[in-house]
Amino acid sequence: MKRFALACAATLIVLTAAACSDNNKRTETPAVLDVKMEIPDHIELNKPTKLACVVTYGGEKVDDASEVKFEVWKHGAGDRDMLKAKRDGSGRYSVTKTFTEAGTYSVVAHVTARDMHNMPKKDVVVGNPSQAAEKGESDSHPSGEADHQHGEAGHHHDNSVSMSLSSHSVTAGKPVTLAVRIMKDGKPLTKATVRFEIWQADNKHEFVETKEAGNGDYQAEVTFATPGTYSVKVHVEAASLHEHQVEQVMAH
């Protein structure tokens, strides 16, 4: 009788352990291929700039990715560069590129590793607003994507919407009324939801809601806390319209 009881107890322990093991397998979170872009928001003209990304899988650095390439194109242009990255170690991959024309560019990292693919995208501004404006750049969509282009005279997604920021130079630490004029089909766009997304380098992004001032003008009081170059993305929503553009503001 004692032997029978011991045998039953042993069997129960084995079945319980197996059940726990199966349950752990079912609840285990699958690893994710993560790609962190290391690309500046603002790039100087005619200066070699490193475009990089850090690849991890399940929190571990990946040094044996099957492929890492950077796709780069200027908004409004049809040509695209596909640049093969080199392995720097510790999960980091990079390539050096010199930008010779001012404007807004998109950079997409194409990463294949662990039988998975990830392709994060980042928009960057090359040069300064005046350089882009002097070239009279206008945005178009050769690939059908909702790109945006930088220029002091405004940006165009589909040649029907334009945006013009009131100032590209402000005093650091002092509140300033930042305004943008939104035009659609040559007329002021009213009753839209407009907000500013503001950040400096890799710092936290701040979202500021604007108030409509009439005649297509939207404004908000903003303080650029420290000196330096800030990126200001203008988000515009109205009915089925959703447009955005990136501007550069210098705080002195």
Side-chain angles (χ1 to χ4, degrees):
M1 187 66 180
K2 290 183 179 179
R3 290 181 180 178
F4 178 75
L6 290 173
C8 289
T11 301
L12 181 60
I13 292 173
V14 171
L15 292 175
T16 302
C20 290
S21 177
D22 290 341
N23 185 62
N24 288 337
K25 289 180 180 179
R26 286 196 297 269
T27 59
E28 183 178 341
T29 302
V32 176
L33 180 67
D34 183 65
V35 180
K36 181 181 179 182
M37 301 280 268
E38 291 189 349
I39 299 173
D41 295 313
H42 185 268
I43 296 175
E44 294 183 31
L45 273 176
N46 303 313
K47 180 180 180 180
T49 301
K50 182 164 287 190
L51 309 177
C53 66
V54 175
V55 183
T56 58
Y57 179 77
E60 299 292 331
K61 300 291 179 61
V62 175
D63 286 321
D64 58 351
S66 302
E67 183 180 67
V68 179
K69 292 182 178 180
F70 288 96
E71 182 181 9
V72 184
W73 73 91
K74 180 184 177 185
H75 294 180
D79 296 333
R80 299 187 177 210
D81 293 331
M82 188 66 80
L83 311 172
K84 186 176 181 179
K86 65 181 182 67
R87 184 181 295 108
D88 294 336
S90 297
R92 191 171 188 268
Y93 299 80
S94 68
V95 66
T96 300
K97 177 176 174 61
T98 300
F99 294 82
T100 59
E101 294 185 17
T104 299
Y105 289 73
S106 286
V107 181
V108 176
H110 294 267
V111 179
T112 302
R114 305 293 191 269
D115 295 324
M116 301 178 71
H117 188 71
N118 197 343
M119 44 186 294
K121 174 184 174 183
K122 180 170 182 177
D123 291 334
V124 300
V125 175
V126 176
N128 57 52
S130 61
Q131 287 173 313
E134 286 171 3
K135 290 182 177 294
E137 298 169 344
S138 61
D139 200 12
S140 61
H141 300 290
S143 64
E145 297 179 3
D147 294 337
H148 49 264
Q149 176 177 334
H150 182 74
E152 191 171 358
H155 302 242
H156 303 270
H157 280 220
D158 55 10
N159 293 325
S160 65
V161 177
S162 66
M163 311 178 198
S164 180
L165 200 63
S166 60
S167 177
H168 293 95
S169 180
V170 299
T171 302
K174 182 179 180 180
V176 60
T177 299
L178 193 63
V180 62
R181 172 164 291 181
I182 314 295
M183 305 290 288
K184 186 176 188 303
D185 298 323
K187 299 179 181 179
L189 178 65
T190 60
K191 298 180 180 180
T193 299
V194 180
R195 62 177 178 166
F196 298 126
E197 180 184 355
I198 304 172
W199 71 95
Q200 186 179 34
D202 295 325
N203 294 334
K204 181 180 179 181
H205 291 222
E206 177 185 4
F207 289 88
V208 181
E209 300 293 336
T210 69
K211 292 184 179 180
E212 186 172 356
N215 198 34
D217 291 334
Y218 297 82
Q219 58 188 35
E221 186 175 277
V222 178
T223 300
F224 296 86
T226 59
T229 301
Y230 287 78
S231 294
V232 178
K233 179 181 282 188
V234 183
H235 295 266
V236 180
E237 295 182 44
S240 59
L241 176 70
H242 188 180
E243 298 287 321
H244 60 267
Q245 73 175 48
V246 174
E247 296 278 1
Q248 291 292 311
V249 172
M250 178 63 72
H252 302 279

